[in-house]
Amino acid sequence: MERNMSLEKVTMPELDPKVRATNFEEVALGYTPAMAQEESNRCLECKNKPCVSGCPVQVNIPEFIHEIKEGNFMAAYQKIVETNGLPAVCGRVCPQESQCEKYCVRGKKGQPVGIGRLERFAADFAMSQGALGAKDIAPKKGKKVAVIGSGPAGLTCASDLAKKGYDVTVFEAFHTAGGVLKYGIPQFRLPKEIVDLEINVLKEMGVEIKLDMVIGKILTIDELKEMGYEAIFIGSGAGLPSFMNIPGENLNDVYSANEFLTRINLMHAYEYPSYDTPIKPYSNVAVIGGGNVAMDAARCAKRLGAGKVYIVYRRSEAEMPARLEEVHHAKEEGIEFRLLEAPVEILGDERGNVTGMKDVRMELGEPDASGRRRPVVIEGSEYVLPVDAVIVAIGQSPNPMIKNSTPALETQPWGGIITNEETGETSIPGVYAGGDAVTGAATVILAMGAGKTAAKSIDAYLSR
Ligand SMILES: Cc1cc2nc3c(=O)[nH]c(=O)nc-3n(C[C@H](O)[C@H](O)[C@H](O)COP(=O)(O)OP(=O)(O)OC[C@H]3O[C@@H](n4cnc5c(N)ncnc54)[C@H](O)[C@@H]3O)c2cc1C
Ligand code: SF4
């Protein structure tokens, strides 16, 4: 096939915004084989592989794209799973624009190669053939490792250790595995069946997943050691929501994004009464924040029937940490962006229900410690946004439960577990950590990269 020199990616089919804003079906529909091959022909198969340098798990991008070009879709999948155990997830939710695709040479003039879309295609193809899973698994070593948390960090660490022949048990606090992939990211972006299929691959590799096991309450790290686990990985994420500490935050219709999304995704509130968890219908909803969590909460609120949904963000769109695609999709679905604005008070009636949110307008000043321009309040700019619910999506930090039951585990003042960056080792020998539990809220692929690093270190530690 001829090289495709189009400056634009092959378009991926999507559900119509008007239709999808009323349901929870997956928005992006994925490439057909013909589309994937057409897009793969945009790749120049660069010898120095600049795209790979942007991938935290070092997927061999040009090689897997080459296989797609040749029509060897299963071989493409096998190439990806050499280093990435969750390709159907990553192909859907990685912020490719700030990772692999950022370094793609085709992006110098026009759009980069659609690496994420091609990764998703290869993974979905393997799923459609019922042929998931890596081929190479080492013989059993007879050594037990415990992994705490079944988010992308824990699943990746478990997968890499299982491939090396360790007996891995994952301890998960919730009644289902997957971490944020299950309870945070909504169905219309990442169908839960896909997460389950990728988790099944781990189970088939012999990884045991124990649910409803809150480490720090039911068992402690010391008890896990006594049970014969020779190394432990903590991938317990950052599930503790932050609040703004403004008046009115304790009113009835104020949610943390975490609670709102968990009710919807994990407890299926959007399918009430078929499921037991109800969620109150709202007319006008304000979501505070500019990250993926805020976009997800806003798009869920819209799908639950709210007439107006606002994203209220104190900086400008350029500083928004959300994936570009999510911002674009949110706008298409009618979410209104109130940029350079911040809430100062949530207003309520005598029954404690939200009636509005007092906002101030901002302008951008000098850069702050994060390098982003600091928002400064414009005096006298206060006004009331008429809303009946407010969802706070301004960040999360690690839950202190494991730290509180493990005094020797050193943590940052804000709760992040302190580790050796190179190895993932914590202050306790044989205990490793990674993902949001160490960095605070970050990304799926960074959590996976940390899980990989720790797996490598655990292997070295147990092979001494
Ligand atoms: C709504 C939302 C949308 C997001 N969208 C994106 C996106 O589009 N792209 C992207 O790259 N990133 C996104 N992120 C961020 C990304 O999901 C996280 O960075 C990533 O999931 C972190 O992985 P983790 O394995 O460290 O933690 P988590 O995914 O949080 O998993 C931690 C797991 O540990 C369990 N756990 C916690 N404490 C204990 C305990 N004491 N005992 C046992 N188990 C415990 C938790 O129940 C959970 O299952 C999003 C996050 C949210 C909340
Ligand atoms: S940088 Fe872009 S064009 Fe070059 S190998 Fe990677 S994906 Fe292909």
Side-chain angles (χ1 to χ4, degrees):
M1 224 187 259
E2 289 260 306
R3 177 153 290 150
N4 174 356
M5 290 315 290
S6 164
L7 295 184
E8 288 179 9
K9 291 177 185 175
V10 173
T11 308
M12 179 160 55
E14 289 174 350
L15 287 184
D16 182 286
K18 284 206 184 70
V19 176
R20 72 187 195 229
T22 62
N23 65 42
F24 277 75
E25 280 164 34
E26 190 172 17
V27 168
L29 301 175
Y31 280 155
T32 60
M35 289 171 183
Q37 282 191 288
E38 196 185 336
E39 181 61 21
S40 67
N41 274 307
R42 295 186 62 233
C43 174
L44 306 176
E45 299 189 38
C46 314
K47 288 269 171 303
N48 54 348
K49 308 178 185 178
C51 46
V52 178
S53 67
C55 174
V57 299
Q58 304 278 292
V59 168
N60 198 330
I61 294 165
E63 283 191 25
F64 98 73
I65 294 182
H66 176 81
E67 297 294 358
I68 294 181
K69 259 185 212 176
E70 299 294 317
N72 301 328
F73 304 144
M74 271 315 293
Y77 169 75
Q78 281 301 336
K79 190 48 70 191
I80 300 170
V81 290
E82 280 174 12
T83 57
N84 182 345
L86 302 172
V89 170
C90 290
R92 285 172 167 80
V93 306
C94 269
Q96 287 98 5
E97 67 269 18
S98 55
Q99 294 174 337
C100 52
E101 293 184 16
K102 181 176 167 185
Y103 297 94
C104 173
V105 293
R106 289 298 306 264
K108 286 187 185 151
K109 194 171 166 219
Q111 291 183 338
V113 173
I115 301 170
R117 294 175 182 189
L118 291 173
E119 180 180 37
R120 168 185 168 158
F121 168 77
D124 287 1
F125 181 83
M127 269 181 199
S128 71
Q129 305 296 301
L132 291 183
K135 281 191 190 130
D136 301 329
I137 297 177
K140 287 276 181 207
K141 289 184 192 291
K143 292 188 175 188
K144 284 180 22 170
V145 180
V147 168
I148 303 170
S150 63
L155 293 176
T156 304
C157 186
S159 161
D160 280 15
L161 287 169
K163 276 190 217 158
K164 289 184 198 297
Y166 291 95
D167 292 321
V168 185
T169 311
V170 177
F171 295 87
E172 166 56 48
F174 271 133
H175 61 273
T176 180
V180 169
L181 308 179
K182 275 284 185 60
Y183 77 76
I185 304 181
Q187 180 77 9
F188 56 80
R189 240 175 13 101
L190 179 62
K192 305 304 154 210
E193 307 79 68
I194 283 173
V195 184
D196 282 334
L197 281 171
E198 295 207 327
I199 291 172
N200 276 345
V201 172
L202 247 76
K203 291 186 187 161
E204 279 162 19
M205 281 159 63
V207 172
E208 191 185 358
I209 302 186
K210 286 186 186 277
L211 302 172
D212 299 314
M213 289 297 286
V214 186
I215 303 302
K217 282 266 186 265
I218 298 175
L219 288 171
T220 62
I221 299 261
D222 287 340
E223 284 165 339
L224 288 173
K225 282 185 178 166
E226 285 161 19
M227 289 161 69
Y229 292 101
E230 295 180 55
I232 296 167
F233 173 74
I234 308 174
S236 49
L240 196 66
S242 308
F243 282 94
M244 299 173 291
N245 296 321
I246 59 171
E249 241 178 340
N250 57 348
L251 289 166
N252 288 335
D253 309 294
V254 181
Y255 297 83
S256 70
N258 219 341
E259 183 197 340
F260 187 71
L261 289 169
T262 302
R263 275 176 166 265
I264 293 168
N265 296 314
L266 202 61
M267 314 309 283
H268 293 256
Y270 65 95
E271 291 176 280
Y272 181 80
S274 303
Y275 283 80
D276 290 339
T277 307
I279 196 149
K280 205 169 147 188
Y282 294 106
S283 306
N284 300 317
V285 179
V287 180
I288 324 294
N292 288 319
V293 184
M295 298 305 137
D296 284 345
R299 295 173 71 197
C300 282
K302 189 82 188 172
R303 280 163 171 76
L304 290 173
K308 292 240 176 232
V309 180
Y310 306 100
I311 287 277
V312 178
Y313 182 54
R314 62 197 184 122
R315 301 179 198 251
S316 71
E317 189 167 332
E319 286 86 24
M320 275 195 164
R323 290 177 82 220
L324 289 180
E325 194 183 5
E326 308 319 326
V327 175
H328 172 69
H329 281 159
K331 283 185 182 169
E332 279 186 339
E333 289 164 15
I335 310 293
E336 285 184 35
F337 283 60
R338 304 201 68 88
L339 302 170
L340 287 164
E341 281 191 22
V344 287
E345 185 178 353
I346 302 168
L347 310 171
D349 61 18
E350 64 291 345
R351 291 199 312 265
N353 297 329
V354 168
T355 54
M357 188 167 81
K358 202 184 275 180
D359 284 2
V360 282
R361 298 210 161 90
M362 324 282 281
E363 57 192 355
L364 290 180
E366 294 300 309
D368 62 14
S370 71
R372 296 180 300 177
R373 290 175 65 195
R374 186 192 302 273
V376 183
V377 175
I378 301 175
E379 289 305 322
S381 63
E382 260 182 33
Y383 80 101
V384 173
L385 188 64
V387 290
D388 54 355
V390 174
I391 302 169
V392 184
I394 57 163
Q396 296 104 246
S397 54
N399 189 306
M401 202 179 296
I402 294 178
K403 159 71 188 162
N404 290 348
S405 62
T406 321
L409 188 69
E410 286 178 13
T411 55
Q412 310 273 7
W414 52 268
I417 299 172
I418 296 174
T419 57
N420 173 330
E421 264 183 46
E422 309 266 292
T423 63
E425 194 171 22
T426 66
S427 50
I428 308 175
V431 178
Y432 297 76
D436 284 5
V438 169
T439 55
T443 62
V444 169
I445 198 74
L446 285 173
M448 290 177 66
K452 269 193 151 345
T453 302
K456 208 167 149 203
S457 310
I458 290 173
D459 182 40
Y461 174 74
L462 295 180
S463 309
R464 292 166 308 167

